[in-house]
Amino acid sequence: MKKVKTCIFPVAGLGSRFLPATKSIPKEMLVVVDKPLIQYAVEEAKAAGIERFIFVTSQGKSAIEDHFDSSPTLETILKKRGKDQELQALEGLRLEPGQAIYIRQHAPLGLGHAVLCAEALVNEEAFAVILADDLVLSREPCLKQMLNAYQKEQGNMVGVMDVPYDQTHRYGILKISKEEGQKVYADGVFEKPDIQKAPSRVAIIGRYVLKKEIFHHLHKQHPGAGGEIQLTDALQKMIPEKPLCGFRYSGQRFDCGTKEGWLEANIAFAASCPELRLNLKTVLGKYSF
Ligand code: UTP
């Protein structure tokens, strides 16, 4: 099987659950400890061997392009002032010339539609998708774990985790047919089912490895849950042709599209950072809950 080299980052959503913070700042530029969410996502993709980074953006998201661009004035000043560590931090986030591609989704018609916007830019048989607001703290980067496990797969793969039954209405939920170690195979997938209709509590998180045939199904997709073109519905349509595999990644996932998830991510990432750990403990100790 050919290596997966392309990753799509859909960043064109409204981020309405995080208003007013996201009125003029893209949700994907929200910072967890010291880096914006989209930088964590790009670093995760780089660590998994991704070489082409496709950002599906929209109006008001140009801060994302600027973040991955060079900044000659700032770099010159830092160099003059001998700020080597700060310069290094900037160099680490730059993408090589030609590696970053930006395309616009003209209206927030759903995740499936956002992925479809990148169709003409995907040359390979399979490609990855990362939703930057789903942040995963893990020893081995989540997408790397998935691409290793994907070697023997023929169909689509999604990152999955178990959620409480009363939260199934927030996720795409798999109907499981078979379990093999960290892999679960699905013969159905349902977008945001109520607790009564949920076939399991195995939920899709924002990590996908998709076969190019998904575009064919996305073209035919009508608006689904929330009036949006859902990626989950296209995955469901593809099941008779190609197996759908859920991968139980190792790590902890934070939904940084919500205030609660973002707050917890900040605490978890700070706690995992040797320089901040002690201070965090002292600070948290000041508050009684
Ligand atoms: P969400 O489901 O979190 O939607 O999108 P959202 O619009 O960003 O946020 P809320 O629900 O209004 O608070 C998951 C990911 O898919 C992207 C988002 O940018 C986010 O990274 N997305 C979503 C798009 O690129 N386009 C869309 O039309 C919808």
Side-chain angles (χ1 to χ4, degrees), residues 17-39:
R17 284 168 296 164
F18 226 124
L19 283 168
T22 48
K23 183 166 181 286
S24 58
I25 296 167
K27 174 171 70 173
E28 297 78 11
M29 286 298 290
L30 291 175
V31 170
V32 168
V33 180
D34 60 352
K35 283 189 284 196
L37 291 169
I38 191 66
Q39 188 176 336

PDB file of all heavy atoms in Angstrom, residues 17-39:
ATOM      1  N   ARG A  17     -19.931  27.538  19.327  1.00  0.00           N
ATOM      2  CA  ARG A  17     -20.000  27.142  20.741  1.00  0.00           C
ATOM      3  C   ARG A  17     -18.969  27.883  21.577  1.00  0.00           C
ATOM      4  O   ARG A  17     -18.977  27.792  22.797  1.00  0.00           O
ATOM      5  CB  ARG A  17     -19.819  25.634  20.886  1.00  0.00           C
ATOM      6  CG  ARG A  17     -21.044  24.837  20.497  1.00  0.00           C
ATOM      7  CD  ARG A  17     -20.737  23.384  20.386  1.00  0.00           C
ATOM      8  NE  ARG A  17     -19.779  23.135  19.311  1.00  0.00           N
ATOM      9  CZ  ARG A  17     -19.082  22.012  19.167  1.00  0.00           C
ATOM     10  NH1 ARG A  17     -19.227  21.044  20.033  1.00  0.00           N
ATOM     11  NH2 ARG A  17     -18.242  21.873  18.170  1.00  0.00           N
ATOM     12  N   PHE A  18     -18.042  28.548  20.910  1.00  0.00           N
ATOM     13  CA  PHE A  18     -16.984  29.238  21.648  1.00  0.00           C
ATOM     14  C   PHE A  18     -17.061  30.753  21.458  1.00  0.00           C
ATOM     15  O   PHE A  18     -16.071  31.460  21.641  1.00  0.00           O
ATOM     16  CB  PHE A  18     -15.604  28.716  21.218  1.00  0.00           C
ATOM     17  CG  PHE A  18     -14.696  28.423  22.366  1.00  0.00           C
ATOM     18  CD1 PHE A  18     -14.121  27.173  22.525  1.00  0.00           C
ATOM     19  CD2 PHE A  18     -14.402  29.396  23.307  1.00  0.00           C
ATOM     20  CE1 PHE A  18     -13.275  26.892  23.579  1.00  0.00           C
ATOM     21  CE2 PHE A  18     -13.552  29.137  24.361  1.00  0.00           C
ATOM     22  CZ  PHE A  18     -12.985  27.886  24.501  1.00  0.00           C
ATOM     23  N   LEU A  19     -18.244  31.234  21.077  1.00  0.00           N
ATOM     24  CA  LEU A  19     -18.416  32.687  20.966  1.00  0.00           C
ATOM     25  C   LEU A  19     -18.472  33.297  22.369  1.00  0.00           C
ATOM     26  O   LEU A  19     -18.913  32.623  23.288  1.00  0.00           O
ATOM     27  CB  LEU A  19     -19.708  32.999  20.198  1.00  0.00           C
ATOM     28  CG  LEU A  19     -19.629  32.822  18.682  1.00  0.00           C
ATOM     29  CD1 LEU A  19     -21.011  32.860  18.059  1.00  0.00           C
ATOM     30  CD2 LEU A  19     -18.735  33.899  18.059  1.00  0.00           C
ATOM     31  N   PRO A  20     -18.042  34.505  22.618  1.00  0.00           N
ATOM     32  CA  PRO A  20     -17.561  35.456  21.611  1.00  0.00           C
ATOM     33  C   PRO A  20     -16.088  35.298  21.234  1.00  0.00           C
ATOM     34  O   PRO A  20     -15.613  36.001  20.351  1.00  0.00           O
ATOM     35  CB  PRO A  20     -17.796  36.807  22.284  1.00  0.00           C
ATOM     36  CG  PRO A  20     -17.640  36.525  23.742  1.00  0.00           C
ATOM     37  CD  PRO A  20     -18.147  35.121  23.952  1.00  0.00           C
ATOM     38  N   ALA A  21     -15.352  34.350  21.896  1.00  0.00           N
ATOM     39  CA  ALA A  21     -13.911  34.243  21.624  1.00  0.00           C
ATOM     40  C   ALA A  21     -13.633  34.070  20.136  1.00  0.00           C
ATOM     41  O   ALA A  21     -12.640  34.585  19.610  1.00  0.00           O
ATOM     42  CB  ALA A  21     -13.330  33.069  22.407  1.00  0.00           C
ATOM     43  N   THR A  22     -14.526  33.343  19.440  1.00  0.00           N
ATOM     44  CA  THR A  22     -14.253  32.986  18.046  1.00  0.00           C
ATOM     45  C   THR A  22     -14.905  33.937  17.039  1.00  0.00           C
ATOM     46  O   THR A  22     -15.018  33.595  15.874  1.00  0.00           O
ATOM     47  CB  THR A  22     -14.726  31.544  17.794  1.00  0.00           C
ATOM     48  OG1 THR A  22     -16.060  31.430  18.320  1.00  0.00           O
ATOM     49  CG2 THR A  22     -13.844  30.527  18.462  1.00  0.00           C
ATOM     50  N   LYS A  23     -15.308  35.114  17.514  1.00  0.00           N
ATOM     51  CA  LYS A  23     -15.948  36.047  16.571  1.00  0.00           C
ATOM     52  C   LYS A  23     -14.938  36.511  15.518  1.00  0.00           C
ATOM     53  O   LYS A  23     -15.219  36.497  14.331  1.00  0.00           O
ATOM     54  CB  LYS A  23     -16.536  37.245  17.324  1.00  0.00           C
ATOM     55  CG  LYS A  23     -17.269  38.185  16.389  1.00  0.00           C
ATOM     56  CD  LYS A  23     -18.133  39.165  17.146  1.00  0.00           C
ATOM     57  CE  LYS A  23     -18.863  40.078  16.174  1.00  0.00           C
ATOM     58  NZ  LYS A  23     -17.991  41.086  15.573  1.00  0.00           N
ATOM     59  N   SER A  24     -13.759  36.912  15.961  1.00  0.00           N
ATOM     60  CA  SER A  24     -12.766  37.346  14.966  1.00  0.00           C
ATOM     61  C   SER A  24     -11.483  36.513  15.025  1.00  0.00           C
ATOM     62  O   SER A  24     -10.567  36.733  14.251  1.00  0.00           O
ATOM     63  CB  SER A  24     -12.443  38.832  15.147  1.00  0.00           C
ATOM     64  OG  SER A  24     -11.956  39.049  16.445  1.00  0.00           O
ATOM     65  N   ILE A  25     -11.430  35.552  15.939  1.00  0.00           N
ATOM     66  CA  ILE A  25     -10.267  34.645  15.997  1.00  0.00           C
ATOM     67  C   ILE A  25     -10.751  33.253  15.585  1.00  0.00           C
ATOM     68  O   ILE A  25     -11.722  32.755  16.165  1.00  0.00           O
ATOM     69  CB  ILE A  25      -9.691  34.566  17.435  1.00  0.00           C
ATOM     70  CG1 ILE A  25      -9.146  35.925  17.868  1.00  0.00           C
ATOM     71  CG2 ILE A  25      -8.598  33.503  17.547  1.00  0.00           C
ATOM     72  CD1 ILE A  25      -8.853  35.994  19.346  1.00  0.00           C
ATOM     73  N   PRO A  26     -10.093  32.604  14.616  1.00  0.00           N
ATOM     74  CA  PRO A  26     -10.531  31.250  14.269  1.00  0.00           C
ATOM     75  C   PRO A  26     -10.451  30.333  15.479  1.00  0.00           C
ATOM     76  O   PRO A  26      -9.504  30.423  16.274  1.00  0.00           O
ATOM     77  CB  PRO A  26      -9.517  30.804  13.209  1.00  0.00           C
ATOM     78  CG  PRO A  26      -8.869  32.048  12.718  1.00  0.00           C
ATOM     79  CD  PRO A  26      -8.956  33.064  13.816  1.00  0.00           C
ATOM     80  N   LYS A  27     -11.440  29.451  15.621  1.00  0.00           N
ATOM     81  CA  LYS A  27     -11.423  28.487  16.732  1.00  0.00           C
ATOM     82  C   LYS A  27     -10.100  27.716  16.755  1.00  0.00           C
ATOM     83  O   LYS A  27      -9.546  27.431  17.817  1.00  0.00           O
ATOM     84  CB  LYS A  27     -12.596  27.521  16.561  1.00  0.00           C
ATOM     85  CG  LYS A  27     -12.627  26.381  17.544  1.00  0.00           C
ATOM     86  CD  LYS A  27     -13.903  25.589  17.483  1.00  0.00           C
ATOM     87  CE  LYS A  27     -14.061  24.778  16.227  1.00  0.00           C
ATOM     88  NZ  LYS A  27     -15.231  23.885  16.266  1.00  0.00           N
ATOM     89  N   GLU A  28      -9.608  27.414  15.571  1.00  0.00           N
ATOM     90  CA  GLU A  28      -8.392  26.593  15.462  1.00  0.00           C
ATOM     91  C   GLU A  28      -7.140  27.363  15.902  1.00  0.00           C
ATOM     92  O   GLU A  28      -6.069  26.788  16.020  1.00  0.00           O
ATOM     93  CB  GLU A  28      -8.226  26.093  14.019  1.00  0.00           C
ATOM     94  CG  GLU A  28      -9.353  25.188  13.546  1.00  0.00           C
ATOM     95  CD  GLU A  28     -10.640  25.941  13.144  1.00  0.00           C
ATOM     96  OE1 GLU A  28     -10.585  27.193  13.037  1.00  0.00           O
ATOM     97  OE2 GLU A  28     -11.672  25.290  12.946  1.00  0.00           O
ATOM     98  N   MET A  29      -7.288  28.697  16.128  1.00  0.00           N
ATOM     99  CA  MET A  29      -6.162  29.484  16.638  1.00  0.00           C
ATOM    100  C   MET A  29      -6.246  29.674  18.151  1.00  0.00           C
ATOM    101  O   MET A  29      -5.424  30.387  18.730  1.00  0.00           O
ATOM    102  CB  MET A  29      -6.104  30.850  15.945  1.00  0.00           C
ATOM    103  CG  MET A  29      -5.598  30.794  14.507  1.00  0.00           C
ATOM    104  SD  MET A  29      -3.907  30.169  14.353  1.00  0.00           S
ATOM    105  CE  MET A  29      -2.997  31.534  15.067  1.00  0.00           C
ATOM    106  N   LEU A  30      -7.237  29.082  18.799  1.00  0.00           N
ATOM    107  CA  LEU A  30      -7.285  29.135  20.270  1.00  0.00           C
ATOM    108  C   LEU A  30      -6.040  28.439  20.802  1.00  0.00           C
ATOM    109  O   LEU A  30      -5.631  27.401  20.282  1.00  0.00           O
ATOM    110  CB  LEU A  30      -8.535  28.438  20.800  1.00  0.00           C
ATOM    111  CG  LEU A  30      -9.870  29.125  20.525  1.00  0.00           C
ATOM    112  CD1 LEU A  30     -11.020  28.244  20.998  1.00  0.00           C
ATOM    113  CD2 LEU A  30      -9.936  30.489  21.205  1.00  0.00           C
ATOM    114  N   VAL A  31      -5.470  29.010  21.843  1.00  0.00           N
ATOM    115  CA  VAL A  31      -4.193  28.500  22.349  1.00  0.00           C
ATOM    116  C   VAL A  31      -4.410  27.516  23.493  1.00  0.00           C
ATOM    117  O   VAL A  31      -5.215  27.764  24.389  1.00  0.00           O
ATOM    118  CB  VAL A  31      -3.316  29.687  22.815  1.00  0.00           C
ATOM    119  CG1 VAL A  31      -2.092  29.211  23.576  1.00  0.00           C
ATOM    120  CG2 VAL A  31      -2.904  30.534  21.619  1.00  0.00           C
ATOM    121  N   VAL A  32      -3.701  26.402  23.447  1.00  0.00           N
ATOM    122  CA  VAL A  32      -3.631  25.504  24.596  1.00  0.00           C
ATOM    123  C   VAL A  32      -2.189  25.588  25.111  1.00  0.00           C
ATOM    124  O   VAL A  32      -1.240  25.255  24.390  1.00  0.00           O
ATOM    125  CB  VAL A  32      -4.024  24.056  24.217  1.00  0.00           C
ATOM    126  CG1 VAL A  32      -3.673  23.084  25.342  1.00  0.00           C
ATOM    127  CG2 VAL A  32      -5.525  23.990  23.919  1.00  0.00           C
ATOM    128  N   VAL A  33      -2.025  26.104  26.280  1.00  0.00           N
ATOM    129  CA  VAL A  33      -0.749  26.417  26.944  1.00  0.00           C
ATOM    130  C   VAL A  33       0.065  27.431  26.132  1.00  0.00           C
ATOM    131  O   VAL A  33       0.107  28.588  26.478  1.00  0.00           O
ATOM    132  CB  VAL A  33       0.076  25.159  27.297  1.00  0.00           C
ATOM    133  CG1 VAL A  33       1.389  25.542  27.975  1.00  0.00           C
ATOM    134  CG2 VAL A  33      -0.724  24.248  28.239  1.00  0.00           C
ATOM    135  N   ASP A  34       0.736  27.012  25.065  1.00  0.00           N
ATOM    136  CA  ASP A  34       1.566  27.972  24.338  1.00  0.00           C
ATOM    137  C   ASP A  34       1.493  27.837  22.821  1.00  0.00           C
ATOM    138  O   ASP A  34       2.261  28.468  22.103  1.00  0.00           O
ATOM    139  CB  ASP A  34       3.042  27.842  24.789  1.00  0.00           C
ATOM    140  CG  ASP A  34       3.599  26.458  24.529  1.00  0.00           C
ATOM    141  OD1 ASP A  34       2.816  25.555  24.142  1.00  0.00           O
ATOM    142  OD2 ASP A  34       4.816  26.262  24.706  1.00  0.00           O
ATOM    143  N   LYS A  35       0.560  26.996  22.340  1.00  0.00           N
ATOM    144  CA  LYS A  35       0.473  26.814  20.882  1.00  0.00           C
ATOM    145  C   LYS A  35      -0.990  26.792  20.451  1.00  0.00           C
ATOM    146  O   LYS A  35      -1.832  26.241  21.167  1.00  0.00           O
ATOM    147  CB  LYS A  35       1.087  25.467  20.489  1.00  0.00           C
ATOM    148  CG  LYS A  35       2.600  25.457  20.487  1.00  0.00           C
ATOM    149  CD  LYS A  35       3.144  24.190  19.883  1.00  0.00           C
ATOM    150  CE  LYS A  35       3.021  23.031  20.824  1.00  0.00           C
ATOM    151  NZ  LYS A  35       3.831  21.871  20.465  1.00  0.00           N
ATOM    152  N   PRO A  36      -1.287  27.340  19.272  1.00  0.00           N
ATOM    153  CA  PRO A  36      -2.672  27.236  18.798  1.00  0.00           C
ATOM    154  C   PRO A  36      -3.009  25.798  18.393  1.00  0.00           C
ATOM    155  O   PRO A  36      -2.127  25.026  18.001  1.00  0.00           O
ATOM    156  CB  PRO A  36      -2.719  28.175  17.593  1.00  0.00           C
ATOM    157  CG  PRO A  36      -1.327  28.398  17.187  1.00  0.00           C
ATOM    158  CD  PRO A  36      -0.439  28.138  18.369  1.00  0.00           C
ATOM    159  N   LEU A  37      -4.296  25.482  18.475  1.00  0.00           N
ATOM    160  CA  LEU A  37      -4.761  24.125  18.174  1.00  0.00           C
ATOM    161  C   LEU A  37      -4.277  23.643  16.815  1.00  0.00           C
ATOM    162  O   LEU A  37      -3.871  22.495  16.657  1.00  0.00           O
ATOM    163  CB  LEU A  37      -6.293  24.084  18.197  1.00  0.00           C
ATOM    164  CG  LEU A  37      -6.932  24.268  19.564  1.00  0.00           C
ATOM    165  CD1 LEU A  37      -8.435  24.469  19.432  1.00  0.00           C
ATOM    166  CD2 LEU A  37      -6.635  23.062  20.456  1.00  0.00           C
ATOM    167  N   ILE A  38      -4.303  24.528  15.824  1.00  0.00           N
ATOM    168  CA  ILE A  38      -3.939  24.092  14.465  1.00  0.00           C
ATOM    169  C   ILE A  38      -2.459  23.709  14.393  1.00  0.00           C
ATOM    170  O   ILE A  38      -2.072  22.841  13.610  1.00  0.00           O
ATOM    171  CB  ILE A  38      -4.303  25.170  13.404  1.00  0.00           C
ATOM    172  CG1 ILE A  38      -4.186  24.616  11.983  1.00  0.00           C
ATOM    173  CG2 ILE A  38      -3.502  26.435  13.578  1.00  0.00           C
ATOM    174  CD1 ILE A  38      -5.143  23.550  11.611  1.00  0.00           C
ATOM    175  N   GLN A  39      -1.635  24.307  15.260  1.00  0.00           N
ATOM    176  CA  GLN A  39      -0.215  23.926  15.251  1.00  0.00           C
ATOM    177  C   GLN A  39      -0.023  22.513  15.817  1.00  0.00           C
ATOM    178  O   GLN A  39       0.770  21.728  15.305  1.00  0.00           O
ATOM    179  CB  GLN A  39       0.628  24.941  16.030  1.00  0.00           C
ATOM    180  CG  GLN A  39       2.127  24.657  15.871  1.00  0.00           C
ATOM    181  CD  GLN A  39       3.001  25.677  16.547  1.00  0.00           C
ATOM    182  OE1 GLN A  39       2.574  26.831  16.759  1.00  0.00           O
ATOM    183  NE2 GLN A  39       4.208  25.291  16.906  1.00  0.00           N
TER     184      GLN A  39
END
